[in-house]
Amino acid sequence: MAGFFDSSRPLRIIQVIQIYASRSFPINGTGHGLIEALRLIFTGDAALLEIVSLSLRVSGIALLFSTLIGVPLGAALGLGRFVGRKLIVAFMYTGMGFPPVVIGLIVYLLLSRSGPLGSLNSPVVPTLFTPGAMVIAQSIIAFPLVAGFTMAAVMGVDAGLRQQVRALGATTWQTTLTVLAEARVGVIVSIIAGFGGIISEVGAVMLVGGNIDGRTRVLTTAIVLETRQGNFDLALALGAILLAITFIINVAMLRMQGKTLDE
Amino acid sequence: MNDDQPFCYRVQNLTKAYGSRQVLQLDALDIRPGEIFALVGPSGSGKSTLLRLLNFLEPPTSGAITFQDATVDAGRPAPLALRRRVTTVAQRPILLNRSVWANVQFGLQLRGSRDREGTVAAALAEVGLAHLARQAARTLSGGEAQRVALARAMVIAPDVLLLDEPTANLDPYNVGVIEETVRRLNRQRAMTVVLVTHNVFQARRLAHRIGLLLDGRLIEIAATEDFFANPQDPRTGAFVRGEMVY
């Protein structure tokens, strides 16, 4: 974690905040944590940037996979009527509430050298303790959330709309896309839920990633490490950064829904 | 019903059932090209089901529907090209959560048509809503929304326009606009119109011929004047007098 406290570039704004904070209230853990968070952000700490970057890359790619699988699956379950649908829905609901650490354990066993996937030695199967393994675990955690909320969203669209769209000459594919577009607020919520479920997740990425410095350390595992080492300020700082990132991304997604914070 | 007449639709020995419940049983029905044909009858008589079959949204359970040069048999979905020659304006205007313009051009967009501007503008002008083109569809009144739904149907220039109680619950002004637009489409573009209504007065104002549907069966089909002046079936007479008919 070299570099976290190393950055000594003077930044006026941080100094002002520190002076103000120390005068206004006795600096406790929270005060230090916030100031530390600001300092790390404004000084562009290299180690922090690497952790934030890896967190975003792993969760971003996992969210992309989850969306590519979850949205079509949710649409199919919400709009289609086929044999086995109820069973798939039951599995999906189970997946929505599945403890991430158990998913991490399953992925660990699958990817370990003696596991069914790990023993294949295939170049397309990521090995344990790599970002690829973390992406797989997070994708499995997120896609039931995306699929479940997407299903609920499309089922909430007026049933008459599908018939009307077909009456206007839509193909099955066009009808599905139109229903998804009408349910876009709910579909975006499903993606937000998926993102929330993995960016803040620690158990699975800890198991399959191993929290290796510079390779698989992400924000949540770094928080666990700093807390265990008694560096509560730093842990709080990382928590504040995680919260800020989540907030910014959720605001961006809210804008994709066509809504603003004022509404 | 003269077999020598050209027909737009020819329905033969058609039944439609949902599970064990049979909702339609029609021995024969011809709808002529360029006519306004009204289907009247009480609620639950199968009028809307017949419209769904005529729009090829559902296949018949048995029998066949011949539309122009193609026949759709029981249990088989109609080809897309056939379905695209017909469209429906439903009783409740279900508009997309987009602008009025986006709603009206929707059918053209589905067909990949390019030059939409002029067609959409003309359709909106025809229903008197050109000034609302950029407005969100969800902000429209019920009457305005139904006029948008009619404009949305007319831009795709269907051979047949199916209207399912298009003016139920609308105020007289909007009823007038919609009826006049339907008349114009029929006269100027020779568009065949099938109108489902429980309002016999509207059927009388608009239709060339009227059919009475009771309990899934066609009781009588006649030219509008005859339907009112010389009903052949006592149930038709009772229906036009506003009596309860089952």
Side-chain angles (χ1 to χ4, degrees), chain A residues 11 18 51-52 88 180 219 231 233 245 257:
Chain A
L11 266 179
Q18 281 175 327
I51 288 177
V52 170
I88 296 173
L180 276 172
L219 278 165
N231 299 327
D233 285 353
I245 289 170
Q257 287 180 327

Side-chain angles (χ1 to χ4, degrees), chain A residues 134-152:
Chain A
M134 295 155 76
V135 167
I136 289 183
Q138 291 203 342
S139 300
I140 295 172
I141 294 166
F143 97 81
L145 291 165
V146 177
F149 286 118
T150 297
M151 184 185 79

Side-chain angles (χ1 to χ4, degrees), chain A residues 73-224:
Chain A
L73 177 65
L77 293 171
L79 301 176
R81 293 291 175 268
F82 49 86
V83 178
R85 176 183 170 274
K86 285 185 179 173
L87 188 66
I88 296 173
V89 170
F91 276 124
M92 190 182 64
Y93 283 156
T94 308
M96 289 172 81
F98 220 69
V101 70
V102 178
I103 290 173
L105 175 63
I106 293 167
V107 173
Y108 186 97
L109 294 173
L110 286 172
L111 297 183
S112 65
R113 289 195 176 185
S114 55
L117 293 178
S119 60
L120 296 175
N121 283 325
S122 166
V124 295
V125 177
T127 51
L128 275 177
F129 311 124
T130 61
M134 295 155 76
V135 167
I136 289 183
Q138 291 203 342
S139 300
I140 295 172
I141 294 166
F143 97 81
L145 291 165
V146 177
F149 286 118
T150 297
M151 184 185 79
V154 299
M155 286 173 80
V157 173
D158 190 329
L161 181 103
R162 286 168 68 191
Q163 183 165 293
Q164 181 62 71
V165 167
R166 289 189 68 229
L168 288 164
T171 61
T172 306
W173 177 240
Q174 287 173 324
T175 306
T176 304
L177 286 182
T178 306
V179 172
L180 276 172
E182 285 298 293
R184 59 188 174 276
V185 172
V187 173
I188 297 285
V189 166
S190 80
I191 297 170
I192 289 174
F195 179 73
I198 54 178
I199 190 74
S200 59
E201 188 280 324
V202 61
V205 287
M206 184 75 91
L207 272 176
V208 302
N211 194 25
I212 302 167
D213 188 13
R215 283 183 57 198
T216 59
R217 183 160 297 163
V218 289
L219 278 165
T220 50
T221 55
I223 290 170
V224 171

Side-chain angles (χ1 to χ4, degrees), chain B residues 48-129:
Chain B
S48 298
T49 303
L50 180 55
L51 277 201
R52 285 199 297 278
L53 297 182
L54 295 179
N55 202 165
F56 307 110
L57 299 174
E58 298 173 21
T61 304
S62 66
I65 300 173
T66 302
F67 175 65
Q68 295 172 342
D69 50 359
T71 298
V72 175
D73 295 314
R76 279 195 339 183
L80 178 65
L82 197 64
R83 187 152 54 82
R84 284 189 167 175
R85 290 192 231 160
V86 188
T87 195
T88 300
V89 174
Q91 176 177 350
R92 192 165 52 92
I94 303 172
L95 301 180
L96 302 170
N97 190 10
R98 305 176 189 179
S99 69
V100 167
W101 183 276
N103 269 279
V104 175
Q105 61 102 53
F106 183 69
L108 297 173
Q109 184 187 330
L110 293 175
R111 288 159 176 76
S113 307
R114 289 192 177 166
D115 300 320
R116 302 176 203 159
E117 294 271 325
T119 316
V120 173
L124 277 171
E126 198 155 349
V127 296
L129 293 177

